[in-house]
Amino acid sequence: MAIIDELVQQISERTGLPQDKAQQAAHAAIDFLDSRLPAPVGGQLRSMVGGGGAGGSGGGMPDLGGLAGGLGGLFGKGGS
């Protein structure tokens, strides 16, 4: 199951929204975060949630180390 599908399922279960509305909410949240985070972090988030893992394939693991490093820089901490 792709991360976006898990996110949609969690939103639906926690809010009681139907799947189509939960999917809209999930995409709205991702768009919001992508627009507010620094470009490398937003791109990593979109890639991870959109199912694009390592090498851009839908089943791979995302580069969580790169994402964590970007988030560390966002909060004023070094990525190493």
Side-chain angles (χ1 to χ4, degrees):
M1 177 181 283
I3 292 175
I4 187 69
D5 296 330
E6 291 179 44
L7 179 59
V8 169
Q9 181 179 352
Q10 285 291 316
I11 291 172
S12 180
E13 288 174 3
R14 292 179 184 203
T15 64
L17 289 172
Q19 288 287 322
D20 62 326
K21 296 295 182 185
Q23 187 171 29
Q24 289 176 352
H27 285 285
I30 293 164
D31 289 345
F32 173 81
L33 291 171
D34 188 31
S35 72
R36 299 298 193 270
L37 293 171
V41 178
Q44 290 268 338
L45 174 68
R46 184 166 294 282
S47 174
M48 183 176 84
V49 173
S57 65
M61 285 297 293
D63 178 14
L64 295 179
L67 181 61
L71 288 173
L74 177 66
F75 293 111
K77 297 183 180 184
S80 39

